[in-house]
Amino acid sequence: MTATTVLTARALLLDMDGTLVDSHAVVERIWRRWSERHGLNADEVMKVVHGRQGYASMALLLPSRPMEQNHAENARMLAEETADVEGVVPIPGAPEFLASLRGLPHALVTSADVALSTARMGAAGLELPDVRITAESVGASKPDPEGFLKGAAELGIAPADCVVFEDSGAGIAAGRAAGMRVVGVGPQAAYHQPDVLVRDLRAGAR
């Protein structure tokens, strides 16, 4: 018999990529091309980029490069990602999960910008929450907690009463730093010790 963990919350804060939307195919395409251009090991690059804004990933991978170059290249890559939605699909259970939240306090908190989040949610056939915290909303990328704290503030809910749904190490760390409990979505989330782990959005906690 498996014990069930129950989390109570007044609001849910939802990451997008890897949590609601499976965009793995396009993320791999874009970042592997970037790795090749910069002579970096693509497998090592892929360990860094999930959950962060592009400029923040670049700063870690190319530490000697001026930040303005990272921001400029990130802007170009965002446009490239927005135009490429081939293979973007919903995480299993995401449509039903979002439908179940209608009328309940919840927000999208993503490292994508408005254009990219709109394109990917649309490609996956998912309804955008009314409250959205995107790259334009914050001054710092996950794992900084700013995005989740802004999401809670927009909803008018105390951070301690919010539960975060996340798949990446950076996102899980951001949720924790915001003083929130975290549900990890997908097998990779297990490595970052969320409060609760689910296989996808159809599954119960395990």
Side-chain angles (χ1 to χ4, degrees):
M1 183 174 177
T2 304
T4 300
T5 301
V6 177
L7 297 181
T8 58
R10 295 181 58 209
L12 301 184
L13 302 177
L14 314 172
D15 173 52
M16 182 182 72
D17 291 301
T19 301
L20 298 173
V21 172
D22 182 352
S23 55
H24 185 76
V26 61
V27 172
E28 285 271 336
R29 283 196 295 273
I30 297 290
W31 280 98
R32 285 185 180 277
R33 285 201 295 265
W34 183 88
S35 304
E36 188 175 339
R37 287 198 300 271
H38 292 282
L40 298 175
N41 182 301
D43 292 334
E44 295 303 314
V45 167
M46 296 312 301
K47 293 176 183 177
V48 171
V49 301
H50 293 290
R52 292 181 171 85
Q53 291 191 44
Y55 76 85
S57 296
M58 293 172 192
L60 290 172
L61 294 161
L62 299 172
S64 62
R65 190 166 79 159
M67 188 58 80
E68 59 266 25
Q69 289 186 30
N70 295 334
H71 281 286
E73 189 168 30
N74 184 49
R76 293 192 295 272
M77 287 181 69
L78 281 170
E80 192 178 349
E81 288 183 276
T82 301
D84 183 358
V85 293
E86 184 180 351
V88 173
V89 295
I91 293 292
E96 297 80 5
F97 178 65
L98 284 173
S100 76
L101 297 181
R102 288 187 190 127
L104 301 175
H106 67 287
L108 187 72
V109 181
T110 176
S111 295
D113 63 5
V114 169
L116 181 57
S117 58
T118 302
R120 285 191 177 161
M121 290 288 281
L126 298 177
E127 186 177 340
L128 279 164
D130 291 335
V131 177
R132 300 185 288 276
I133 306 299
T134 61
E136 296 93 339
S137 310
V138 298
S141 170
K142 299 172 186 176
D144 190 282
E146 182 185 1
F148 287 123
L149 292 172
K150 283 201 168 183
E154 287 277 339
L155 294 170
I157 305 294
D161 292 324
C162 296
V163 168
V164 166
F165 280 67
E166 264 285 1
D167 70 302
S168 71
I172 291 169
R176 280 220 184 91
M180 302 172 183
R181 289 150 298 155
V182 181
V183 175
V185 180
Q188 294 303 312
Y191 297 109
H192 308 291
Q193 300 181 320
D195 296 287
V196 175
L197 180 68
V198 296
R199 186 176 296 107
D200 55 39
L201 295 176
R202 300 171 300 187
R206 58 182 173 85

